[in-house]
Amino acid sequence: MLYVEILGNMPEMAGDEVKAMLELSCGKVIGRDYLLLRVEAPRKSFPYLDRLGLAHEYGELLVEADSVEELLEKAKDVEWPIAGTFKVDTETMANCRHNVLDLPRKLGAVIHAQGFRVNLSKPDTVVRAYCGERLYAGIRLHYFDPKDFERRKAHHRPFFRPISLHPRISRAMVNLTKARKELLDPMMGAGGILIEAGLLGLRVYGVDIKPEMVEGARRNLLHYGVRDFVLRLGDATRLGELFPGKKFEAVATDPPYGTAASLAGRKREELYRRVLESIYEVLEEGGRLAIAFPASFDGVSEAERVGFRFVSKYYQRVHKSLDRYFYVFEK
Ligand SMILES: C[S@@+](CC[C@H](N)C(=O)[O-])C[C@H]1O[C@@H](n2cnc3c(N)ncnc32)[C@H](O)[C@@H]1O
């Protein structure tokens, strides 16, 4: 059994991102306690879980209990798969119902009694204990270092535009499409979504109506080591003409929200409708689209009108004058 600890700011989107990765690799979520997902998955799921954007870490779940005493009792019977030294790190989630102040010390003592040495500053193995409705303990297998994502935030890229999504969100959008081999962003801007997809080994295709964006996205992709890309200057409402005969496995995009300049002179709602139609035309049967729209635009009805099947949507308040939904649709 595995656990995945997801991030707390968009928990529904984060949970569905995990499900999407498990669906690609014969795994499934079998339970949830606030930010902790209990997961059944084979080893081949690990590379898919490694793709996650909205997760804190995942690991092997070894003990579950309804009280601290029960957790400690059960921990005695576990053969802790610890390599070298260890430390116990406790996560007290917002829904924690137990007194876990002493848990790290007591659980550490149980594991120490099996002959393992503690090293609080540089442990080889991190034992994680979680407190929610219930209590859990396990071994951390993968930690998603926030610095990796921070390094790719808009202002660290050689070509900077302040219009970019956070890299973790871009990554989650890519994953929600369940792409395995390729992804198109027809309004790529500085290429934030394409960078995340490219780093997963997907072949990426990008379009923007502005020449400086096409050149800037190219610089950004190269800067992060993404080489397998095709970029085109053109209009997202005419994708069929830009890629004759091509059908895409997956599409993810973040259309412009506001200013006349970013909309290239078009009316916003009209642009969104035509982009949806154009994406539908070039998407494979069964392929998925992840797309963001301001909350004032009814993305579900508009996409259904074009022929898409609604999969999910997630709300995000960006600032006082912008709130949006991220949608997932399927053809
Ligand atoms: C919000 S930005 C995308 C940001 C991008 N996700 C990133 O991470 O940098 C939207 C982009 O859509 C482009 N755009 C606007 N109208 C377009 C159209 N009709 N066809 C293609 N691109 C268009 C704009 O030039 C802008 O770069």
Side-chain angles (χ1 to χ4, degrees):
M1 177 95 77
L2 300 178
Y3 69 84
V4 181
E5 181 192 350
I6 55 174
L7 298 183
N9 38 2
M10 295 189 70
E12 297 315 317
M13 188 169 178
D16 283 353
E17 186 193 19
V18 175
K19 279 189 204 144
M21 289 301 92
L22 293 171
E23 280 163 19
L24 287 183
S25 58
C26 301
K28 58 176 190 285
V29 175
I30 56 168
R32 176 163 179 178
D33 189 342
Y34 190 40
L35 300 179
L36 193 83
L37 306 185
R38 294 160 63 241
V39 164
E40 234 164 47
R43 277 211 154 256
K44 71 170 181 199
S45 290
F46 289 4
Y48 288 97
L49 292 175
D50 292 347
R51 287 172 50 157
L52 293 171
L54 298 177
H56 188 271
E57 66 177 81
Y58 71 84
E60 196 177 343
L61 182 58
L62 295 161
V63 191
E64 295 179 48
D66 289 308
S67 68
V68 171
E69 295 69 37
E70 186 191 350
L71 183 96
L72 294 171
E73 245 352 274
K74 285 184 167 172
K76 287 181 189 159
D77 296 332
V78 171
E79 282 184 30
W80 288 86
I82 290 171
T85 57
F86 79 100
K87 84 163 178 180
V88 179
D89 214 3
T90 305
E91 190 63 39
T92 310
M93 296 189 289
N95 66 339
C96 173
R97 287 159 52 102
H98 309 268
N99 180 354
V100 289
L101 272 183
D102 251 1
L103 183 60
R105 195 179 54 75
K106 288 181 173 162
L107 182 57
V110 168
I111 298 171
H112 179 69
Q114 292 190 4
F116 298 108
R117 274 186 310 117
V118 175
N119 182 335
L120 294 180
S121 54
K122 258 191 148 196
D124 299 307
T125 304
V126 177
V127 172
R128 285 286 269 169
Y130 287 89
C131 178
E133 291 288 320
R134 306 187 72 206
L135 292 156
Y136 311 84
I139 298 284
R140 174 187 284 167
L141 296 177
H142 185 107
Y143 173 65
F144 297 90
D145 191 341
K147 286 194 219 101
D148 286 345
F149 290 100
E150 292 299 313
R151 268 195 281 278
R152 299 196 294 278
K153 278 177 85 168
H155 56 281
H156 292 305
R157 302 176 191 155
F159 175 76
F160 166 65
R161 284 290 180 280
I163 48 173
S164 260
L165 296 171
H166 191 284
R168 282 186 182 273
I169 299 260
S170 295
R171 175 65 69 92
M173 288 179 80
V174 172
N175 285 333
L176 286 164
T177 69
K178 298 210 257 178
R180 283 172 190 262
K181 59 176 205 292
E182 64 181 18
L183 181 124
L184 164 71
D185 181 348
M187 308 179 102
M188 67 182 163
I193 292 174
L194 297 183
I195 293 168
E196 295 308 312
L199 290 174
L200 300 177
L202 303 176
R203 167 164 241 224
V204 296
Y205 296 80
V207 175
D208 204 283
I209 203 155
K210 293 194 187 147
E212 69 268 28
M213 292 296 179
V214 179
E215 179 47 28
R218 196 185 70 83
R219 278 176 60 201
N220 285 344
L221 285 163
L222 289 174
H223 177 76
Y224 290 103
V226 178
R227 302 269 179 273
D228 193 7
F229 58 78
V230 177
L231 306 184
R232 295 246 204 285
L233 175 65
D235 190 336
T237 65
R238 309 175 77 138
L239 295 169
E241 289 167 30
L242 284 171
F243 301 98
K246 168 87 184 137
K247 296 282 182 203
F248 293 92
E249 182 191 31
V251 178
T253 198
D254 172 33
Y257 302 122
T259 63
S262 72
L263 294 163
R266 284 220 179 78
K267 272 216 136 86
R268 192 171 79 169
E269 277 67 25
E270 185 54 24
L271 174 70
Y272 294 169
R273 281 186 200 110
R274 294 191 45 200
V275 167
L276 281 170
E277 286 164 4
S278 179
I279 292 171
Y280 191 82
E281 186 192 332
V282 298
L283 193 60
E284 269 174 21
E285 212 56 52
R288 279 189 170 193
L289 161 67
I291 191 164
F293 288 123
S296 57
F297 182 76
D298 183 356
V300 176
S301 327
E302 296 291 348
E304 284 179 343
R305 195 181 52 76
V306 170
F308 281 108
R309 186 179 74 75
F310 167 71
V311 177
S312 54
K313 67 175 186 174
Y314 316 98
Y315 177 77
Q316 187 192 37
R317 185 172 188 274
V318 186
H319 50 70
K320 208 162 65 178
S321 51
L322 175 62
D323 48 355
R324 66 183 162 203
Y325 282 97
F326 294 92
Y327 297 87
V328 181
F329 299 112
E330 200 166 278
K331 178 167 172 179

